[in-house]
Amino acid sequence: MLRELRVRNLGVIEDLSLELGPGMTVLTGETGAGKTLVVEALQLLLGSRPESGLVRTGTAEALVEARFEPPGGGEVILARAVPATGRSRAWVDGRMAPVGMLSEEARSLIDIHGQHEHQSLRSPAAQRAALDVFASLDLGELGRARAAVRRVTDEIAALGGDARTRAREIDVVRHQLAEIATAAIENLDEEAALVAEEEQLADVEAHREALQTAGTDLRGSDEQAAGSGAGAVGLLAEAAAVLSGRDAFGPWQLRLRTALAEVADVAGDLRALLDELRDDPARLAAVQGRRRELRALRDKYGPSLADVAEFARASSERLAELESAGERAVALEADLASARLGLAEAEAAVRRARAAAAPGLGDAVGGRLAELAMPGARLEVRVAAEGSGEPVQFLFGANPGEALAPLQRAASGGELARAMLALRLIAAGGPGTMVFDEVDAGVGGSAALALARSLREAAGDRQVLVVTHLAQVAAFADCHVAVQKRVRGERTTTEARVLGPGDRIVEITRMLSGRPDSETGRAHAEELLAFGSHRPTSTRDGGALV
């Protein structure tokens, strides 16, 4: 149920607020007063594309906010802002959301019937649901049969599909495992060692030169005598000798000799490395080839060798499952055949029930349409000849002799709205709030009273909002909202107010005679209100809700 609606800066609406209740609410007013803007505001919540110039002149954006109370309890708050330039924004329960999400949420709460595009019964799914409600169809068995087929199908897919699919997957997994096994990865840190070795092998001359220079700095050149002071070893030896025999410098002499021993040891290691360093093109090629092999494995099976090893482990388990799946697959294929047979039987039962109920729904809607000033209108419900009878299609003809066409392509907005009303009366369901605009187009006299009764009947189990020019319809409402233009300063703005009993008589008098002060019109208005007062009408006093 729509409890509150606020609209700001939309066309001639500056700031309009409405609090709504259950039952039937009518919106009335002179042509051009802004009644349709209220419907357009709700259309924006349903995701409609804003028309150019919709935002009030001189303002940055229009805003529509609505608070709903769903049948299950709680509340849902929807909002949409439409800027004068740029893209609109949407909110669902205070959180920003795509317009598509806003529309999906709104469609479950409100349905608009008339000249606009957001009638839920236009969709095949909603037409099918309406037929099922009319037929009191229990779809539980069909749902269980479909779930059984999905369950077995999923199990077969988890095994690798049918025998051919499994055989192909087995070949792929075996190839992958053989490729990894051929690489014979024994050390997951192998690549780091290969990088270091490749660096050394690829730059032997530079390494040799560095070792020679370091060795010369430590021990001096071969032409110089040891201890001549040419190298670090000699210099340290000279420094230790200078302090030798002087007890006062004993600790420092000990440290110098320790340093001398360490530096001499390093110099010896560097000499050994230099002697071992050799050009080895074959080893370099082997190291580079090994690195390429490991890189290719990582490109296929994981960013690291550890990931490659984990892939091999998981693939081994998968191969074992596939190779042992034969017997289980045979059993599942038999289960699938049985499940499909059960589904076919459940679909056939639903199809028969839908086909049996379809003529009755069409006849019932046709009878309702006759009461709504459409005596020659026809609705034909067609059910597909296969499966569960889907798609279900509603075909509609507004006049005698007129060819039937899909309901969603009905020409007149008013005729379509009445067809929707008739369907909702015959087959319940749908959103909890229904909005009718143009439903009274071309209706008058006793047909107008029949329309009013039908709208109030529809409001028995849901909230119904009606934009109307008919006094007969307005008289049957539980709540009457008057929409009118006012000029403030140099700007025109639209206001809406809930009418109390006295103001309601004045408004219906205006609708009947065009003159709110007509005595004859007033007497007729009072008679209409008495006739339509089978339900208590709102006793709230009038007042601008802005």
Side-chain angles (χ1 to χ4, degrees):
M1 179 188 305
L2 176 61
R3 280 296 189 183
E4 292 184 56
L5 175 67
R6 186 177 187 189
V7 185
R8 286 185 288 174
N9 300 326
L10 187 71
V12 293
I13 296 177
E14 181 179 7
D15 193 346
L16 181 149
S17 296
L18 285 174
E19 294 184 9
L20 301 168
M24 177 179 166
T25 297
V26 293
L27 282 76
T28 65
E30 297 283 2
T31 300
K35 303 183 298 299
T36 300
L37 281 174
V38 176
V39 179
E40 289 188 18
L42 294 172
Q43 291 274 25
L44 289 174
L45 296 181
L46 285 162
S48 70
R49 193 170 185 174
E51 295 182 4
S52 176
L54 191 62
V55 179
R56 184 173 173 82
T57 303
T59 63
E61 67 178 13
L63 178 65
V64 180
E65 300 173 288
R67 180 173 67 87
F68 292 88
E69 291 182 359
E75 67 177 21
V76 177
I77 298 176
L78 307 179
R80 187 175 180 190
V82 179
T85 58
R87 300 181 62 180
S88 66
R89 306 184 308 283
W91 293 265
V92 175
D93 287 335
R95 296 185 178 183
M96 292 197 72
V99 173
M101 181 182 296
L102 173 75
S103 173
E104 182 178 351
E105 188 72 35
R107 286 172 188 272
S108 67
L109 298 168
I110 189 168
D111 198 4
I112 298 178
H113 304 281
Q115 61 182 333
H116 308 281
E117 297 179 356
H118 289 288
Q119 297 93 349
S120 67
L121 278 172
R122 287 177 178 268
S123 72
Q127 293 176 10
R128 181 192 66 233
L131 175 60
D132 291 346
V133 169
F134 177 77
S136 300
L137 190 58
D138 182 3
L139 299 177
E141 187 61 33
L142 178 60
R144 287 187 289 273
R146 287 173 173 169
V149 171
R150 284 196 301 269
R151 183 175 61 253
V152 179
T153 301
D154 290 344
E155 287 191 54
I156 291 175
L159 286 180
D162 58 23
R164 290 183 179 179
T165 305
R166 286 196 305 277
R168 287 194 295 269
E169 186 177 355
I170 286 172
D171 285 344
V172 171
V173 175
R174 283 176 176 169
H175 171 77
Q176 292 169 334
L177 289 173
E179 188 175 26
I180 295 173
T182 300
I185 302 172
E186 297 181 356
N187 180 3
L188 298 181
D189 297 323
E190 180 182 357
E191 282 190 295
L194 289 172
V195 170
E197 186 176 0
E198 181 180 1
E199 180 183 350
Q200 178 177 319
L201 290 170
D203 204 4
V204 171
E205 287 303 321
H207 291 331
R208 181 180 289 111
E209 182 179 346
L211 287 172
Q212 287 175 339
T213 300
T216 299
D217 289 343
L218 293 178
R219 302 190 68 88
S221 65
D222 294 337
E223 291 78 13
Q224 295 172 319
S228 65
V233 172
L235 292 174
L236 287 171
E238 287 181 3
V242 169
L243 298 180
S244 179
R246 300 179 185 275
D247 294 340
F249 302 120
W252 288 273
Q253 183 184 24
L254 177 60
R255 290 173 65 186
L256 283 170
R257 293 192 179 282
T258 301
L260 175 60
E262 180 65 22
V263 172
D265 189 49
V266 171
D269 289 344
L270 294 180
R271 167 65 75 177
L273 285 173
L274 182 61
D275 291 340
E276 295 173 359
L277 199 59
R278 298 285 186 276
D279 285 329
D280 193 345
R283 177 58 185 166
L284 176 60
V287 169
Q288 291 174 335
R290 178 62 171 171
R291 286 196 65 198
R292 285 194 297 271
E293 181 182 23
L294 296 179
R295 188 182 305 115
L297 288 178
R298 288 190 292 102
D299 289 344
K300 292 181 180 180
Y301 307 120
S304 69
L305 291 183
D307 294 311
V308 174
E310 173 58 24
F311 180 87
R313 185 199 64 75
S315 296
S316 296
E317 292 181 357
R318 179 60 177 164
L319 181 60
E321 291 176 1
L322 290 169
E323 290 177 336
S324 63
E327 293 183 3
R328 176 60 179 156
V330 171
L332 286 175
E333 290 291 347
D335 291 344
L336 181 59
S338 176
R340 284 174 173 166
L341 179 60
L343 175 58
E345 293 174 350
E347 286 181 335
V350 169
R351 182 176 69 249
R352 288 192 296 270
R354 285 172 172 165
L361 176 59
D363 292 344
V365 171
R368 283 285 188 174
L369 289 173
E371 297 173 4
L372 299 174
M374 297 177 67
R378 293 173 296 149
L379 181 79
E380 181 178 312
V381 182
R382 291 183 183 174
V383 176
E386 299 179 350
S388 60
E390 300 177 31
V392 172
Q393 186 179 35
F394 287 2
L395 300 176
F396 179 68
N399 302 297
E402 187 176 297
L404 295 175
L407 180 65
Q408 54 268 34
R409 294 207 302 266
S412 164
E415 291 169 345
L416 180 58
R418 274 176 273 168
M420 298 293 186
L421 174 58
L423 277 165
R424 288 301 189 202
L425 290 170
I426 297 301
T433 297
M434 297 171 61
V435 180
F436 288 94
D437 186 19
E438 277 200 355
V439 71
D440 55 7
V443 178
S446 61
L449 290 174
L451 174 61
R453 291 191 190 95
S454 296
L455 287 166
R456 196 172 70 176
E457 182 182 345
D461 60 355
R462 73 187 70 217
Q463 182 186 49
V464 174
L465 309 181
V466 186
V467 177
T468 184
H469 291 282
L470 286 181
Q472 293 93 326
V473 172
F476 275 73
D478 297 302
C479 178
H480 191 150
V481 177
V483 180
Q484 60 187 124
K485 286 182 180 179
R486 294 191 183 277
V487 178
R488 294 179 177 176
E490 297 182 355
R491 295 298 302 274
T492 300
T493 186
T494 289
E495 295 180 353
R497 61 193 183 99
V498 177
L499 301 181
D503 288 336
R504 191 174 181 193
I505 293 174
V506 172
E507 173 65 6
I508 292 181
T509 301
R510 179 199 65 78
M511 296 174 72
L512 287 167
S513 65
R515 293 175 50 205
D517 58 350
S518 167
E519 291 298 328
T520 303
R522 183 180 181 88
H524 191 185
E526 291 174 345
E527 181 183 3
L528 266 181
L529 284 168
F531 186 69
S533 63
H534 296 90
R535 288 184 183 180
T537 55
S538 173
T539 58
R540 285 180 287 182
D541 290 331
L545 298 178
V546 297

